Amino acid sequence: VVDAGINDTICFGDSVQVGGTPTSTNAVSYIWTPNLGTITYDTASNPFVAPIATTSYIVSAIDNQGCSGSDTVIVTVNQLPTITIITGSTPCPGDTVQVTATGGQFYQWTNNTYFSSLSIANPLVFFPDTTTVTVQVTDSNLCVNTDSLIVNTHPQPFADAGIDLDVCAGQSVQIQAVSGTSPSWSPDTSLNNAFVLNPVATPPVTTDYILTSSTGGGSCIITDTMTVNRVPLPTVSLLD
């Protein structure tokens, strides 16, 4: 009597031992088929197999009288969960956005510094800059897979509106901003161009000008302020 063992189920990438207890009481040799590189020792009584798809394994046993027998065991292979990771939007440096994974029933994220929760499918994640997020997903068959996503942040905007300036009443002065990405100024009514880095200002009164810089099509914004002080003209009096 030959016993190939009980049918079993594994996850893709795992292995399982086949054969009975014992596979045979009087066999002197065994051969397991098909051996497509998935059987550790195809002449053992209880080899380990690691099929990549559901496979029927046949064991043939021969005793010392030359008599033979065979039996079959089916190893079912469950594929690993297919994981998808998405973000709700491309974050700016320092933003917190929701990251969502799909493909299973249980989720485990690996970075405990930036996540609101490590064990839900859609945690909130803080992104100081470009960050790799990794999740381990377990499906209903208890098969486990891992996937990662590099989340690129928009470039960090920067703004330096420059030093405060003085201007005589009725005169103009050019703002000396040092840097700004996609600059815009407000208030813009006393500027010759509110969308250049160094506009010319003719303020009717002392005015705080706010430089707004942005990246990511306006998603990421930073501001800086400078003041143009309007200096009144001296009073001239004529003496008789």
Side-chain angles (χ1 to χ4, degrees):
V1 176
V2 180
D3 182 8
I6 60 174
N7 296 336
D8 208 343
T9 300
I10 62 172
C11 298
F12 179 85
D14 289 346
S15 62
V16 65
Q17 193 171 30
V18 292
T21 312
T23 302
S24 174
T25 57
N26 61 347
V28 295
S29 66
Y30 301 91
I31 184 68
W32 289 85
T33 57
N35 187 0
L36 303 175
T38 63
I39 305 175
T40 52
Y41 298 103
D42 60 3
T43 57
S45 59
N46 297 91
F48 282 88
V49 297
I52 61 175
T54 297
T55 302
S56 296
Y57 288 99
I58 302 170
V59 58
S60 298
I62 301 175
D63 63 17
N64 55 12
Q65 302 297 319
C67 299
S68 64
S70 64
D71 194 24
T72 300
V73 62
I74 300 173
V75 178
T76 300
V77 178
N78 290 322
Q79 297 302 306
L80 302 183
T82 299
I83 304 172
T84 301
I85 306 173
I86 60 172
T87 60
S89 61
T90 300
C92 303
D95 277 357
T96 297
V97 301
Q98 192 168 51
V99 176
T100 301
T102 59
Q105 290 190 329
F106 305 101
Y107 300 85
Q108 185 66 41
W109 302 86
T110 61
N111 189 328
N112 61 2
T113 303
Y114 302 135
F115 286 73
S116 61
S117 173
L118 294 177
S119 56
I120 62 175
N122 53 349
L124 296 174
V125 184
F126 171 73
F127 291 95
D129 48 29
T130 295
T131 302
T132 300
V133 295
T134 301
V135 65
Q136 184 184 81
V137 176
T138 305
D139 66 13
S140 59
N141 296 316
L142 300 183
C143 294
V144 179
N145 200 6
T146 300
D147 197 11
S148 297
L149 175 69
I150 299 174
V151 180
N152 294 298
T153 58
H154 289 300
Q156 176 69 57
F158 51 89
D160 184 344
I163 62 173
D164 296 341
L165 300 171
D166 295 330
V167 64
C168 294
Q171 300 297 308
S172 300
V173 66
Q174 188 169 33
I175 294 175
Q176 301 299 309
V178 177
S179 62
T181 50
S182 301
S184 64
W185 291 89
S186 63
D188 61 357
T189 53
S190 56
L191 299 175
N192 71 327
N193 188 336
F195 300 101
V196 295
L197 188 59
N198 302 111
V200 175
T202 311
V205 295
T206 293
T207 303
D208 292 330
Y209 290 100
I210 302 171
L211 170 62
T212 299
S213 294
S214 65
T215 59
S219 299
C220 311
I221 294 175
I222 194 171
T223 62
D224 193 27
T225 302
M226 62 83 61
T227 301
V228 176
N229 297 299
R230 183 179 183 274
V231 180
L233 296 175
T235 300
V236 178
S237 61
L238 299 177
L239 299 177
D240 293 336

